[in-house]
Amino acid sequence: MTLTLQTLYFEDLSVGMRDAFDKIVMASDVVGFAEVSGDRNPIHLSEHFAAKTPFKTRIAHGLYTASLISALLGTRLPGPGAIYLSQSLNFRAPVKIGDTVTVSVEVVELIGEKNRARLSCECRVDDTIVLDGEALVKVPSRAELASEAQA
């Protein structure tokens, strides 16, 4: 998965702007996330263990799914230079290996005083919301860049 970078400045944003992408969750993604995060819960890594759970199969880490939101915020909307300030997450349903997750964000509020954007975030598998929440990010502005260039 490689998202094309798109840089948007605070002045480019408007309420209602949206972006989205699809990601097929691979076993290697789950194993890699376990290695990076240190979360080696066997529900993610052992088919034998996971078969005895209510899910009946391995599931992706919830924070792996949430990290897909980070990918969208950091590459597309608003894009490079955006700084996470907060994120709320509601885990609604499991994501299984092989699922295609549709990740989407929408600008729901712009706070001009400090160049902040509040975004609604959602991850779906087919018609099921598997994760939702809100992100607050600081967005670079052209005015800030111009004043930094003059300094």
Side-chain angles (χ1 to χ4, degrees):
M1 169 192 82
T2 303
L3 294 173
T4 305
L5 294 179
Q6 169 180 273
T7 301
L8 295 171
Y9 297 97
F10 186 80
E11 296 86 349
D12 300 326
L13 300 179
S14 61
V15 171
M17 287 181 80
R18 297 179 55 83
D19 206 339
F21 76 98
D22 292 336
K23 171 70 171 99
I24 299 172
V25 178
M26 309 297 288
S28 59
D29 298 327
V30 174
V31 171
F33 191 84
E35 290 298 316
V36 169
S37 68
D39 180 351
R40 301 193 51 79
N41 183 335
I43 198 163
H44 307 303
L45 302 174
S46 168
E47 196 63 53
H48 178 74
F49 179 91
K52 299 175 187 172
T53 71
F55 305 118
K56 302 297 184 210
T57 190
R58 291 168 56 197
I59 60 172
H61 302 75
L63 287 178
Y64 167 78
T65 305
S67 75
L68 300 175
I69 295 169
S70 178
L72 189 53
L73 294 176
T75 60
R76 304 282 310 150
L77 181 61
I83 304 296
Y84 247 127
L85 299 174
S86 66
Q87 174 78 59
S88 66
L89 299 169
N90 303 298
F91 300 97
R92 308 277 185 198
V95 173
K96 298 175 181 175
I97 294 168
D99 283 348
T100 298
V101 178
T102 300
V103 182
S104 63
V105 298
E106 178 179 351
V107 177
V108 295
E109 182 182 14
L110 295 169
I111 306 162
E113 182 181 331
K114 294 186 176 184
N115 298 334
R116 308 283 201 259
R118 191 167 54 88
L119 299 103
S120 174
C121 307
E122 184 178 272
C123 297
R124 288 181 175 266
V125 173
D126 298 322
D127 292 329
T128 301
I129 296 173
V130 296
L131 185 156
D132 62 7
E134 279 192 352
L136 182 66
V137 296
K138 181 177 181 349
V139 184
S141 73
R142 286 189 173 85
E144 287 175 339
L145 291 177
S147 66
E148 289 172 8
Q150 292 175 356

